[in-house]
Amino acid sequence: MIDAVDEKLRRRAEEDRLAADILEECRVQLMLKFRFLDLALWRMSLQPVRAGGAYPLATNGHIVALEALRVIARFNQSFNEVVRDYLHMVLHCIFRHPYNADHKDREAWNLTCDIIVESVAMDMCAGRFSSEDDTARKEALSKIRLMAGDMLPGKVYSLVHNMVQTPAGQQYRGLGRSTLNEWHALFERDEHAAWPAMGDTDNKSVENVPEKYSEDESSNNEQAASSIEELLNAEQLPESMREQMQDLESRGEDEGSEGGGEDNSAEAELAAEQMSYSHEDQGADPMGNFQDNEEREDDAKEWEEISKQIAMNLDTFSKEWGEETNSFMQNLALVNRKQYDYSEFLRQFMVQNEEILVNPDEFDYVYYTYGIDLYGNMPLIEPLEYKETDRIRDFVIAIDTSESVKGDLVRRFVQHTFDILKSSQDYATDVNIHVIQSDSRLQEDMVIRDMRDVDALMERFKVRGFGGTDFRPVFDYVQGMRDSGKLTDMRGLIYFTDGLGTFPDAPPDFDAAFVFVEDEAREIPAVPPWAIKLVVKEETL
């Protein structure tokens, strides 16, 4: 009985070592083809697991959890498949998919991430590390690109989300659940349950596990049981790995001939403990105990730095790589765009005012000491009736209502701005806010004197214009109000636009910020040196 346990533990340790060596060889091969991925390929340590997962690999951004039996089985199928599995997982981290929690429809977002990285991987490999399903993937990607418009995360997510939300038995633009299941099977290669963005939910991204990964555990064990012997004879096995496996095999035979006593049993058990751990002991998430929130934040920052470093390297040597990395660089540019907190940004336009408020931070020490002397333990405090505060009073919100700007987006931006103004104590109730609509000429100036009137005014708000775009009329109009004393406390102007217009030649004597909604399909236009550029996500409005 003890010999059987020893053999099982020894076998498991060998399988874990072999699976780890296979992945190390994948790293080396990817490094030889894509030198700019060096930091990303070795960023995570390998951790063999026995979790019974449906996929060979999983990651939380910190470690790679590998199912040894499935990795070996995939290697038996094709070494290229394991390489593509590993590249797929690393691209998720480079694009920071595991840390993106902005999308509520997790199935749609998970599938979107898989579609994007597989599309990028196919472009990068360009015939290298080919997969037997690549032809079917190309057909599916052509259909997705045709329906979504561009192979960009936001557009693909919108398509997939609408398909997921379509009631059962119905179709969205001729596509239904059967098409989604087909895409799941084609594009998924790793498990997403351990992604930090998934939180504590056990939300799987697929309803039906792809058939090629859905064998029961017994069949997987039978397939992997003969894998070591088969791999020793495989022509694609690297020589260094072959020698290591032969050494393991011969060492196992020597130990078996010695009778396998207690020392051998202890050694085998120790090796098994070092190379694997029990899924039951770790809970539902096999990697959940390896990180706390601070470590996850550190990992997210490190992946951000890696993404930026890769983008810089590719930008420097873009001619060397040609069109193979175009989609990769496009997705890198999207994920590396700097994001801003719009509510924090508005605080830049505060001015100092004196409010009729109790100021507990300042009081007269004469009364304080007099109370102590007179009553022993009762200080007298006379708080000041005035307090200096930073508030926004005079403010201008300019809206580009040209034909290229969506009317619904304009309304959402104005409403979002006022929601921030009303909810924060940093904004005064009595205000002098001008909401100016303009295309190539001034269309309307809506003045707000009391923040309590905003809701009533927004009900009557209508977008006017839809002509060309010229920013100069707004700046001339605002400068006229400043000269006439109507905007004496004004610190700045926020201009919501798509940027396709004529800017003033001379800088104004107040701060001006141009706010753009992030558009994956194009670069945000440049602004003059004297202006502030702010990019916000549409879903935050």
Side-chain angles (χ1 to χ4, degrees), residues 49 69 168 187 279 315 334 359 400 417 425 429 455 469 485 515 517 536:
V49 298
L69 299 182
F187 296 109
H279 174 57
D315 204 32
L334 287 176
N359 186 357
D400 175 7
T417 302
Q425 63 178 1
T429 301
D455 292 336
T469 305
V515 179
V517 173
V536 297

Side-chain angles (χ1 to χ4, degrees), residues 305-356:
E305 290 303 316
I306 289 174
S307 295
K308 292 178 180 178
Q309 183 65 44
I310 292 173
M312 184 175 64
N313 292 342
L314 274 176
D315 204 32
T316 305
F317 302 103
S318 57
K319 292 182 179 179
E320 179 180 344
W321 298 102
E323 296 182 357
E324 297 176 9
T325 58
N326 283 353
S327 60
F328 181 58
M329 293 178 68
Q330 184 180 32
N331 279 276
L332 271 181
L334 287 176
V335 77
N336 288 330
R337 281 184 181 176
K338 192 171 183 179
Q339 301 295 328
Y340 296 90
D341 185 332
Y342 184 52
S343 59
E344 287 297 323
F345 177 74
L346 287 181
R347 299 183 193 278
Q348 297 183 31
F349 299 95
M350 294 186 299
V351 294
Q352 197 171 80
N353 290 277
E354 199 173 61
E355 300 280 334
I356 302 179

Side-chain angles (χ1 to χ4, degrees), residues 3-14:
D3 290 342
V5 172
D6 289 348
E7 179 59 29
K8 184 177 181 180
L9 292 172
R10 185 181 300 109
R11 190 77 178 188
R12 173 174 291 190
E14 290 175 352

